[in-house]
Amino acid sequence: MTADDHELQDLAADLHDHGYSWEHIARELAIPVATAQLAAGQARQRAADRAARDQITLF
């Protein structure tokens, strides 16, 4: 994954979290709807993994 990939993923997730439809997100990012959904899911998984690692270091 490149930094650009992560940025796209994060942007897709942020837009969806702000209530934008998948169709709107896909148009804005010039990608297919399925790709927008996958990208957002990957961003959320990265965030969950990071949170889990951070939680482990607290103990």
mmCIF file of all heavy atoms in Angstrom, residues 26-47:
data_model
loop_
_atom_site.group_PDB
_atom_site.id
_atom_site.type_symbol
_atom_site.label_atom_id
_atom_site.label_comp_id
_atom_site.label_asym_id
_atom_site.label_seq_id
_atom_site.Cartn_x
_atom_site.Cartn_y
_atom_site.Cartn_z
ATOM 1 N N ALA A 26 -18.011 7.733 -4.751
ATOM 2 C CA ALA A 26 -17.392 7.183 -5.959
ATOM 3 C C ALA A 26 -17.191 8.267 -7.013
ATOM 4 O O ALA A 26 -16.140 8.326 -7.654
ATOM 5 C CB ALA A 26 -18.249 6.041 -6.502
ATOM 6 N N ARG A 27 -18.190 9.118 -7.177
ATOM 7 C CA ARG A 27 -18.063 10.225 -8.140
ATOM 8 C C ARG A 27 -16.945 11.176 -7.736
ATOM 9 O O ARG A 27 -16.132 11.590 -8.566
ATOM 10 C CB ARG A 27 -19.384 10.995 -8.244
ATOM 11 C CG ARG A 27 -20.234 10.651 -9.418
ATOM 12 C CD ARG A 27 -21.367 11.637 -9.651
ATOM 13 N NE ARG A 27 -21.964 12.209 -8.455
ATOM 14 C CZ ARG A 27 -22.948 11.650 -7.738
ATOM 15 N NH1 ARG A 27 -23.455 10.497 -8.100
ATOM 16 N NH2 ARG A 27 -23.433 12.249 -6.664
ATOM 17 N N GLU A 28 -16.916 11.544 -6.472
ATOM 18 C CA GLU A 28 -15.902 12.485 -5.984
ATOM 19 C C GLU A 28 -14.487 11.940 -6.157
ATOM 20 O O GLU A 28 -13.567 12.688 -6.465
ATOM 21 C CB GLU A 28 -16.139 12.807 -4.502
ATOM 22 C CG GLU A 28 -17.305 13.722 -4.246
ATOM 23 C CD GLU A 28 -17.067 15.124 -4.779
ATOM 24 O OE1 GLU A 28 -15.968 15.672 -4.584
ATOM 25 O OE2 GLU A 28 -17.995 15.661 -5.405
ATOM 26 N N LEU A 29 -14.322 10.650 -5.927
ATOM 27 C CA LEU A 29 -12.998 10.045 -5.977
ATOM 28 C C LEU A 29 -12.680 9.425 -7.337
ATOM 29 O O LEU A 29 -11.579 8.905 -7.528
ATOM 30 C CB LEU A 29 -12.868 8.983 -4.876
ATOM 31 C CG LEU A 29 -13.067 9.492 -3.448
ATOM 32 C CD1 LEU A 29 -12.971 8.344 -2.460
ATOM 33 C CD2 LEU A 29 -12.078 10.596 -3.115
ATOM 34 N N ALA A 30 -13.646 9.471 -8.242
ATOM 35 C CA ALA A 30 -13.489 8.915 -9.593
ATOM 36 C C ALA A 30 -13.108 7.434 -9.564
ATOM 37 O O ALA A 30 -12.181 6.991 -10.249
ATOM 38 C CB ALA A 30 -12.480 9.725 -10.397
ATOM 39 N N ILE A 31 -13.844 6.690 -8.731
ATOM 40 C CA ILE A 31 -13.648 5.250 -8.625
ATOM 41 C C ILE A 31 -15.018 4.581 -8.609
ATOM 42 O O ILE A 31 -16.026 5.230 -8.328
ATOM 43 C CB ILE A 31 -12.866 4.874 -7.346
ATOM 44 C CG1 ILE A 31 -13.578 5.385 -6.083
ATOM 45 C CG2 ILE A 31 -11.426 5.379 -7.418
ATOM 46 C CD1 ILE A 31 -12.919 4.996 -4.774
ATOM 47 N N PRO A 32 -15.068 3.279 -8.895
ATOM 48 C CA PRO A 32 -16.353 2.573 -8.829
ATOM 49 C C PRO A 32 -16.885 2.507 -7.390
ATOM 50 O O PRO A 32 -16.113 2.577 -6.422
ATOM 51 C CB PRO A 32 -16.010 1.161 -9.334
ATOM 52 C CG PRO A 32 -14.738 1.307 -10.094
ATOM 53 C CD PRO A 32 -14.002 2.438 -9.439
ATOM 54 N N VAL A 33 -18.192 2.364 -7.255
ATOM 55 C CA VAL A 33 -18.824 2.295 -5.938
ATOM 56 C C VAL A 33 -18.223 1.170 -5.102
ATOM 57 O O VAL A 33 -17.911 1.359 -3.918
ATOM 58 C CB VAL A 33 -20.356 2.127 -6.072
ATOM 59 C CG1 VAL A 33 -20.999 1.831 -4.733
ATOM 60 C CG2 VAL A 33 -20.974 3.367 -6.694
ATOM 61 N N ALA A 34 -18.067 -0.007 -5.695
ATOM 62 C CA ALA A 34 -17.518 -1.147 -4.953
ATOM 63 C C ALA A 34 -16.107 -0.846 -4.440
ATOM 64 O O ALA A 34 -15.748 -1.253 -3.327
ATOM 65 C CB ALA A 34 -17.510 -2.396 -5.824
ATOM 66 N N THR A 35 -15.337 -0.124 -5.214
ATOM 67 C CA THR A 35 -13.985 0.250 -4.796
ATOM 68 C C THR A 35 -14.033 1.234 -3.635
ATOM 69 O O THR A 35 -13.236 1.143 -2.701
ATOM 70 C CB THR A 35 -13.197 0.844 -5.979
ATOM 71 O OG1 THR A 35 -13.187 -0.116 -7.040
ATOM 72 C CG2 THR A 35 -11.774 1.192 -5.593
ATOM 73 N N ALA A 36 -14.977 2.159 -3.672
ATOM 74 C CA ALA A 36 -15.137 3.115 -2.577
ATOM 75 C C ALA A 36 -15.497 2.387 -1.288
ATOM 76 O O ALA A 36 -14.960 2.687 -0.217
ATOM 77 C CB ALA A 36 -16.213 4.145 -2.922
ATOM 78 N N GLN A 37 -16.396 1.419 -1.388
ATOM 79 C CA GLN A 37 -16.805 0.650 -0.206
ATOM 80 C C GLN A 37 -15.634 -0.161 0.346
ATOM 81 O O GLN A 37 -15.416 -0.201 1.562
ATOM 82 C CB GLN A 37 -17.967 -0.265 -0.557
ATOM 83 C CG GLN A 37 -19.240 0.503 -0.863
ATOM 84 C CD GLN A 37 -20.323 -0.370 -1.460
ATOM 85 O OE1 GLN A 37 -20.046 -1.320 -2.185
ATOM 86 N NE2 GLN A 37 -21.562 -0.029 -1.150
ATOM 87 N N LEU A 38 -14.888 -0.793 -0.544
ATOM 88 C CA LEU A 38 -13.729 -1.575 -0.136
ATOM 89 C C LEU A 38 -12.671 -0.674 0.502
ATOM 90 O O LEU A 38 -12.100 -1.009 1.544
ATOM 91 C CB LEU A 38 -13.136 -2.307 -1.341
ATOM 92 C CG LEU A 38 -11.896 -3.151 -1.079
ATOM 93 C CD1 LEU A 38 -12.194 -4.269 -0.098
ATOM 94 C CD2 LEU A 38 -11.374 -3.730 -2.385
ATOM 95 N N ALA A 39 -12.424 0.475 -0.099
ATOM 96 C CA ALA A 39 -11.424 1.409 0.426
ATOM 97 C C ALA A 39 -11.797 1.874 1.833
ATOM 98 O O ALA A 39 -10.949 1.911 2.727
ATOM 99 C CB ALA A 39 -11.285 2.607 -0.507
ATOM 100 N N ALA A 40 -13.055 2.200 2.047
ATOM 101 C CA ALA A 40 -13.501 2.639 3.372
ATOM 102 C C ALA A 40 -13.343 1.515 4.381
ATOM 103 O O ALA A 40 -12.904 1.741 5.516
ATOM 104 C CB ALA A 40 -14.946 3.114 3.315
ATOM 105 N N GLY A 41 -13.679 0.312 3.973
ATOM 106 C CA GLY A 41 -13.519 -0.838 4.865
ATOM 107 C C GLY A 41 -12.072 -1.069 5.242
ATOM 108 O O GLY A 41 -11.763 -1.385 6.397
ATOM 109 N N GLN A 42 -11.171 -0.894 4.289
ATOM 110 C CA GLN A 42 -9.750 -1.061 4.567
ATOM 111 C C GLN A 42 -9.250 0.016 5.524
ATOM 112 O O GLN A 42 -8.445 -0.265 6.415
ATOM 113 C CB GLN A 42 -8.953 -1.055 3.263
ATOM 114 C CG GLN A 42 -9.188 -2.297 2.438
ATOM 115 C CD GLN A 42 -8.611 -2.206 1.045
ATOM 116 O OE1 GLN A 42 -8.468 -1.114 0.480
ATOM 117 N NE2 GLN A 42 -8.282 -3.346 0.467
ATOM 118 N N ALA A 43 -9.723 1.234 5.361
ATOM 119 C CA ALA A 43 -9.330 2.315 6.271
ATOM 120 C C ALA A 43 -9.816 2.018 7.687
ATOM 121 O O ALA A 43 -9.079 2.212 8.661
ATOM 122 C CB ALA A 43 -9.897 3.648 5.792
ATOM 123 N N ARG A 44 -11.038 1.542 7.791
ATOM 124 C CA ARG A 44 -11.583 1.216 9.117
ATOM 125 C C ARG A 44 -10.831 0.055 9.748
ATOM 126 O O ARG A 44 -10.598 0.048 10.963
ATOM 127 C CB ARG A 44 -13.070 0.924 8.993
ATOM 128 C CG ARG A 44 -13.868 2.174 8.686
ATOM 129 C CD ARG A 44 -15.361 1.924 8.647
ATOM 130 N NE ARG A 44 -16.069 3.166 8.381
ATOM 131 C CZ ARG A 44 -16.774 3.398 7.287
ATOM 132 N NH1 ARG A 44 -16.909 2.459 6.372
ATOM 133 N NH2 ARG A 44 -17.372 4.554 7.121
ATOM 134 N N GLN A 45 -10.432 -0.919 8.945
ATOM 135 C CA GLN A 45 -9.659 -2.052 9.471
ATOM 136 C C GLN A 45 -8.294 -1.585 9.959
ATOM 137 O O GLN A 45 -7.833 -2.009 11.016
ATOM 138 C CB GLN A 45 -9.500 -3.135 8.399
ATOM 139 C CG GLN A 45 -8.804 -4.381 8.930
ATOM 140 C CD GLN A 45 -9.560 -5.044 10.061
ATOM 141 O OE1 GLN A 45 -10.741 -5.308 9.939
ATOM 142 N NE2 GLN A 45 -8.887 -5.302 11.168
ATOM 143 N N ARG A 46 -7.648 -0.704 9.201
ATOM 144 C CA ARG A 46 -6.357 -0.156 9.638
ATOM 145 C C ARG A 46 -6.510 0.575 10.961
ATOM 146 O O ARG A 46 -5.678 0.436 11.859
ATOM 147 C CB ARG A 46 -5.799 0.820 8.591
ATOM 148 C CG ARG A 46 -4.855 0.219 7.616
ATOM 149 C CD ARG A 46 -4.032 1.218 6.809
ATOM 150 N NE ARG A 46 -4.402 2.607 6.863
ATOM 151 C CZ ARG A 46 -5.316 3.201 6.086
ATOM 152 N NH1 ARG A 46 -5.946 2.504 5.177
ATOM 153 N NH2 ARG A 46 -5.575 4.481 6.211
ATOM 154 N N ALA A 47 -7.585 1.356 11.096
ATOM 155 C CA ALA A 47 -7.820 2.095 12.336
ATOM 156 C C ALA A 47 -8.060 1.137 13.503
ATOM 157 O O ALA A 47 -7.554 1.358 14.611
ATOM 158 C CB ALA A 47 -9.007 3.038 12.169
#
